[in-house]
Amino acid sequence: MTHPMMQKLIDEMHNHVGKDLAIRGECLAKALDLPMRELRHLTGEAIKSGMALCSHPAYGYWIALNIEELEFACQFHRSRALHELQKEAQLRRMNLADLLGQMKLNT
């Protein structure tokens, strides 16, 4: 099911193609009249549906202009995910390699 605000997001993001034209999350949420939590859900849905919607805390949200911008955003998300996995490993009192091996066996 398509989120009712998806078209508004798509229309707004046409003004933000390329990292240099990124829009801060707070500004995007205000433009769409959404709380930040709902904006994050909506942007996640947009990515799932195939939109090359990038984000980074230093820039905001933008549509990837080229493969380099897409890779930049992907590297940020990978780094953040690994950081979260490292915290899990520390909570479980194991090293990250063991945790990743365990995750692989459990899938």
Side-chain angles (χ1 to χ4, degrees), residues 51-93:
M51 182 186 283
L53 181 58
C54 299
S55 64
H56 190 282
Y59 299 94
Y61 292 91
W62 74 94
I63 300 294
L65 184 62
N66 52 45
I67 193 69
E68 289 82 13
E69 288 187 357
L70 189 62
E71 184 61 29
F72 175 80
C74 288
Q75 286 299 322
F76 163 71
H77 290 292
R78 176 182 298 261
S79 173
R80 188 171 74 180
L82 288 172
H83 176 73
E84 290 299 317
L85 286 172
Q86 184 64 50
K87 287 195 294 190
E88 179 187 359
Q90 290 167 348
L91 287 168
R92 294 182 184 277
R93 305 271 191 250

Side-chain angles (χ1 to χ4, degrees), residues 1-25:
M1 181 176 191
T2 303
H3 192 287
M5 294 295 292
M6 188 62 73
Q7 190 58 51
K8 286 181 89 173
L9 174 65
I10 292 168
D11 293 344
E12 178 63 34
M13 292 312 299
H14 281 211
N15 299 314
H16 304 284
V17 177
K19 188 171 63 170
D20 291 341
L21 295 177
I23 181 171
R24 305 286 301 162

